[in-house]
Amino acid sequence: MSIGTKPILSVSISEVKASWQGFNPRLAFGNVVIRDMQGRNALVLPDVNATLSWWSVAVADLRFAKIEISNPSLNIERDISGKLYVAGFLIDPTKDNDGKGLDWVLAQHEISI
């Protein structure tokens, strides 16, 4: 299964804060909204807290010690032709996928939703 054509989606973040969690940098995002091609909310994340991991330096890739997502709202829809869209992205099971997105998610230490 892969993500098909890549539409240009609108992303907005109403608030960004930075602080420290011990020795790790911490980012807090308020009201993250991704809109689909029609401008409708496809994914709403009212509160996201992410603590960066120092492993990011060692592996030369963005890694988080912890990602916390509170009260997400995800839009999933199937159109008249049967195409499935998740958060505004077409999911096309007939196309191959390199799996990099899933690999990145699985490389994170802790994700709490």
Side-chain angles (χ1 to χ4, degrees):
M1 181 166 37
S2 74
I3 296 176
T5 57
K6 296 180 182 178
I8 299 173
L9 302 176
S10 167
V11 178
S12 64
I13 303 171
S14 65
E15 184 177 31
V16 178
K17 293 181 182 178
S19 61
W20 290 91
Q21 178 97 26
F23 290 110
N24 294 353
R26 183 173 172 271
L27 299 170
F29 302 97
N31 201 31
V32 178
V33 179
I34 298 175
R35 291 179 183 79
D36 65 15
M37 297 293 287
Q38 289 75 35
R40 299 174 299 205
N41 291 351
L43 176 63
V44 178
L45 306 172
D47 193 30
V48 178
N49 292 296
T51 304
L52 291 165
S53 170
W54 286 105
W55 279 108
S56 297
V57 176
V59 298
D61 190 25
L62 182 61
R63 298 285 171 88
F64 291 95
K66 186 172 191 175
I67 300 172
E68 299 170 290
I69 301 171
S70 300
N71 300 315
S73 173
L74 174 65
N75 184 31
I76 300 173
E77 64 181 58
R78 185 178 302 272
D79 69 11
I80 292 174
S81 66
K83 293 179 183 173
L84 182 65
Y85 293 85
V86 177
F89 291 95
L90 172 64
I91 304 300
D92 187 348
T94 63
K95 293 191 177 179
D96 289 332
N97 186 346
D98 61 10
K100 289 183 182 178
L102 180 59
D103 289 344
W104 181 86
V105 170
L106 294 175
Q108 307 314 307
H109 181 69
E110 180 179 348
I111 299 176
S112 172
I113 301 174

